[in-house]
């Protein structure tokens, strides 16, 4: 359905609420010969006068909301792909944020971030190592038991990289546990 008054396209609806409004059980993108992909483009300004995308502008955002029985509620979870720097022809750094809403709340909170350098932060927006945990309290890394019987244990292995094949010193690196 095309809404001439508001310039909106409705698929599965005659009252589209956005430029493209699809109501149905699923969507599918099929492409042969190469992988299908979604491209999202962001510029500031207007169509007639676009301006530069700057640091921390969301380039793409996926939100998920539930229904209260009368209306769709605010976002319960979101994934954002965000500019990590001002965009130029030679600089397009970005990061990905994962957000959820705690039970009994309506406010999104960032839970995990993959930074432009590949570092992953859990409960921190500025991971200084490959994997960083934020917060002012102790953190626990836990392996769930699931189907392993209570009488059996599971292995949790931390392993540092060993030397390459053909090297004369075959020792691996050290695993350092410190506080």
């Amino acid at each position: 359905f095309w809404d001439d008054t508001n310039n909106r396209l409705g698929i599965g609806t005659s009252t589209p609420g956005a430029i493209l409004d699809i109501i149905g059980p699923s969507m599918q993108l099929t492409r042969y010969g190469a992988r299908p992909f979604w491209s999202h483009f962001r510029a500031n300004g207007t169509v007639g006068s676009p301006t530069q995308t700057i640091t921390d502008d969301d380039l793409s955002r996926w939100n998920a909301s539930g229904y209260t029985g009368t209306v769709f509620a605010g976002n319960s979870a979101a994934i954002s792909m965000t500019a990590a720097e001002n965009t130029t022809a030679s600089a397009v750094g970005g990061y990905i944020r994962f957000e959820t809403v705690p039970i009994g709340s309506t406010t999104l909170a960032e839970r995990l971030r993959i930074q432009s350098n590949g570092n992953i932060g859990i409960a921190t927006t500025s991971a200084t190592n490959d994997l960083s945990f934020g917060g002012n309290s102790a953190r626990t890394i836990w392996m769930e038991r699931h189907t392993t019987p209570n009488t059996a244990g599971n292995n949790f292995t931390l392993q540092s990289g060993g030397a390459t094949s053909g090297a004369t010193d075959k020792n691996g690196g050290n695993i350092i546990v410190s506080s």
Side-chain angles (χ1 to χ4, degrees):
F1 172 82
W2 178 253
D3 176 354
D4 279 326
T5 304
N6 298 303
N7 292 325
R8 296 176 178 173
L9 176 62
I11 299 174
T13 179
S14 60
T15 56
I19 292 172
L20 174 61
D21 193 347
I22 301 171
I23 296 178
S26 64
M27 293 190 323
Q28 179 174 317
L29 177 63
T30 303
R31 183 175 178 189
Y32 297 93
R35 74 175 186 272
F37 60 91
W38 293 88
S39 292
H40 296 199
F41 300 96
R42 159 83 188 263
N44 289 316
T46 64
V47 171
S49 182
T51 60
Q52 182 181 34
T53 306
I54 61 172
T55 302
D56 293 326
D57 278 350
D58 280 342
L59 305 175
S60 180
R61 183 173 176 97
W62 293 76
N63 297 320
S65 301
Y67 193 70
T68 67
T70 55
V71 297
F72 283 100
N75 299 317
S76 296
I79 301 172
S80 299
M81 288 150 268
T82 306
E85 61 187 342
N86 292 349
T87 303
T88 69
S90 61
V92 294
Y95 60 90
I96 303 172
R97 280 190 335 257
F98 295 83
E99 299 169 277
T100 63
V101 174
I103 291 174
S105 177
T106 58
T107 304
L108 282 168
E110 184 171 329
R111 306 301 184 177
L112 183 138
R113 179 181 292 208
I114 303 172
Q115 295 181 171
S116 61
N117 62 2
N119 289 353
I120 298 171
I122 298 174
T124 180
T125 59
S126 55
T128 55
N129 293 285
D130 293 340
L131 178 61
S132 294
F133 296 88
N136 295 321
S137 60
R139 297 287 183 195
T140 300
I141 298 174
W142 179 267
M143 185 170 59
E144 296 296 336
R145 179 171 295 279
H146 294 295
T147 60
T148 304
N150 287 335
T151 56
N154 289 329
N155 293 330
F156 182 78
T157 304
L158 293 175
Q159 182 174 339
S160 60
T164 59
S165 175
T168 56
D169 180 359
K170 297 288 188 178
N171 292 327
N174 295 322
I175 295 177
I176 299 169
V177 178
S178 64
S179 58

